[in-house]
Every structure is written in structure tokens, then in C-alpha cells.
Amino acid sequence: MDLIPDFLYNLLLKQYGEHLTNIIIDGYAQKRPVTLRANTLKTNTEHIKQVFDSMHISYQEVSWYKDAFILEKISEKEIKELDIYQNGEIYLQSLSSMLPPLVLSPKDNENILDMAAAPGGKTTQMLALSENKAYITACEKNKIRAERLQYNLHKQGANRVNVMIKDARFLDDFFSFDKILLDAPCSGSGTFSIFDKKLESTFTEDLVKRSSKTQTDLLKKAITLLKPGHEMVYSTCSILSKENEEIIKKFIDLKQIEVLPIDSTSFSNATLLPVSIAGTLCICPSALYEGFFVAKLKKVAY
């Protein structure tokens, strides 16, 4: 298979079979439209619609998220020139990456940990979903990425977020959280483009192994820090079971967590890939969506 690295093709073929693998590769070839959400920390969705209408910017609404928009006839570059972008009233974000905060469903006064927060799209979305009433601790181990996170939080008006420049794997165990979002670093196997000339050299067996090790360590720490009986979301922009089901299954087998089923019927316009753990969600790369995996988990209370 010349379009993607042989190693990736063989992984997909083994996991999904030839028919679905070809659908995935077709998804890698798509150029997706601009997607964004209204930042309700600063504005409301109706105002953004009025701005788009006044500027004759055509948009589609998203059935499962009232604050999300799909813009097909404008570029990101053009969007970034708009006042509503400059002042943080909208946030450019893929549809798939909007799912984990929605599944986590942050509420008033909940103490929430975002374990790998930069650049801050999901962090600010979680605060917006809680109507600016949750408390969020956002971790980012890389200083430059943490500065970008701080910039985005300030721009979006997310003032109830405490940024820690720290690898979340090494957080002190005395921390305790009501909810946790672990959008884990991954191989990015759901977001590839067949037009990426560097793909052959950047997507390697070693990358998947290293990602899997980091994901396991992060999930282990997340379970330690989550209050018993409380919920977390584990997500990646990978469609490989090695980074998804196989990671959470380790802890299900240890009886430390259980899966809370996600209602996939809400996302009727997304192509879903088969999963080996019922109730989890794996979205196929397509013309609208990046490949993405989401699992809602509950810490077993002893």
C-alpha cells in the first residue's frame, strides 16, 4: 500500500479487515472543512450566527452540539482575520475533538483535571460547558506548549483554570478530582493525511510502542487521582486498539474501572468503526471527522 506506511496499513488490515481499511484510507485523503465552536465564556451562539449572516459566511449547524459550526467555503486563514476570532469569541476545533468534553459533561463546582491540556481547546470547552462554574487544573509538561495554553486560556476568557507546567504522570497522589479528562498523547493514526510526505518516517512501530507506554502510565495515574465512584474520559486521536481498548482493558481486568456506555446514536453523521469494548466510541476518518476514540470510565468504589 503506497498511500500510507506499510506498518500502518498492516495494523489497520489486522484490526479492521480490507474493506474498512480502504474506507479509512479514503478518509485520510479528505480535505475537511473549517469547524469551530462559539466560545460561550464570551458570547452566545446566536450572536455568532448573526455575525456569519451579516458577513454572508455560509455555515451548517451540528446536530449533537448547538455551539458547533461547519464552514465549507472559507479558509482558516480567513477566519483568523475576523474580529470574533481575534477577540476569542470563537475557537477553531475539529468536530471529533469536541466530543471528549461533551462526554465528560462538566458541572458546577466540580474539580476537574485536564491531564494533557495544550493547546487548550478542550480545557476552555469544559469550562464553557460548566457555564464557567467548574474548577480546572490543566497540566502541560512542555514549557513552550504551556505558554501557548496560557495564551489561549486568557484569550478565551477562561479564568477558572490553574495551569501546571508538569508531566501529569508525576502529579502527587494527594491530589483528588471529581472528574478527569485524559486526552492522551498518541500516534495520531486517526488524523493522518495521505499527502503528508513525512508520514513514512514519522509513523513508526516505536512511536506506537512509546505512545502505548505513556498512555498506560497516564491512565494509571488518572485512576489514582480520581475519586472512587467518579467518572473520567479517556480519548485519543488514534484508531488503533493498541492505544485505545488495549490500554483501558488492562485496568478493567484489574477491576479498577468500568466502562459507562456512550450513546453513539447522537453522532449519526459520523462513521463509527467497530470496537472490542462495548460502549466505547471510535470514529472513522472522513470528510467531516478525524479518527478519534472516546471512552467514558468510572472508578470502581471499594
Side-chain angles (χ1 to χ4, degrees), residues 45-96:
T45 304
E46 289 307 313
H47 172 68
I48 300 303
K49 288 181 186 177
Q50 288 168 12
V51 172
F52 287 156
D53 289 340
S54 69
M55 300 186 73
H56 306 290
I57 297 172
S58 61
Y59 60 85
Q60 292 180 43
E61 296 179 65
V62 177
S63 61
W64 46 264
Y65 190 16
K66 65 179 177 57
D67 298 329
F69 295 91
I70 302 164
L71 312 180
E72 292 183 329
K73 296 177 181 177
I74 193 167
S75 68
E76 280 197 7
K77 183 175 182 293
E78 291 169 300
I79 288 292
K80 288 179 177 180
E81 292 170 355
L82 301 179
D83 287 344
I84 54 172
Y85 176 84
Q86 298 284 345
N87 63 24
E89 290 183 83
I90 57 173
Y91 192 93
L92 291 166
Q93 192 172 351
S94 76
L95 293 181
S96 297

Side-chain angles (χ1 to χ4, degrees), residues 139-156:
C139 285
E140 174 50 52
K141 67 178 182 178
N142 181 282
K143 187 173 184 295
I144 293 172
R145 284 173 58 82
E147 288 172 357
R148 183 65 186 171
L149 170 62
Q150 287 274 27
Y151 171 82
N152 280 331
L153 294 174
H154 178 72
K155 181 177 178 180
Q156 302 288 302

Side-chain angles (χ1 to χ4, degrees), residues 204-271:
T204 62
E205 188 169 3
D206 182 59
L207 174 63
V208 175
K209 282 183 179 176
R210 283 188 288 110
S211 296
S212 175
K213 172 71 167 65
T214 299
Q215 292 150 1
T216 301
D217 292 344
L218 280 166
L219 183 52
K220 181 179 180 181
K221 175 60 71 171
I223 294 167
T224 300
L225 301 178
L226 186 63
K227 292 177 181 177
H230 285 239
E231 299 169 8
M232 68 168 290
V233 164
Y234 175 88
S235 61
T236 73
C237 56
S238 176
I239 54 174
L240 300 175
S241 60
K242 289 177 179 291
E243 300 181 77
N244 298 329
E245 295 101 318
E246 289 180 30
I247 302 298
I248 63 177
K249 189 176 186 303
K250 299 171 189 175
F251 299 95
I252 293 171
D253 290 347
L254 291 169
K255 295 184 167 48
Q256 294 181 355
I257 54 172
E258 58 189 27
V259 172
L260 298 176
I262 299 169
D263 180 10
S264 61
T265 58
S266 305
F267 316 115
S268 56
N269 63 344
T271 301

Side-chain angles (χ1 to χ4, degrees), residues 165-181:
I165 305 175
K166 190 173 181 69
D167 188 327
R169 290 175 292 183
F170 306 117
L171 283 171
D172 290 316
D173 288 349
F174 65 71
F175 283 108
S176 180
F177 295 94
D178 298 310
K179 285 180 178 173
I180 295 177
L181 175 63

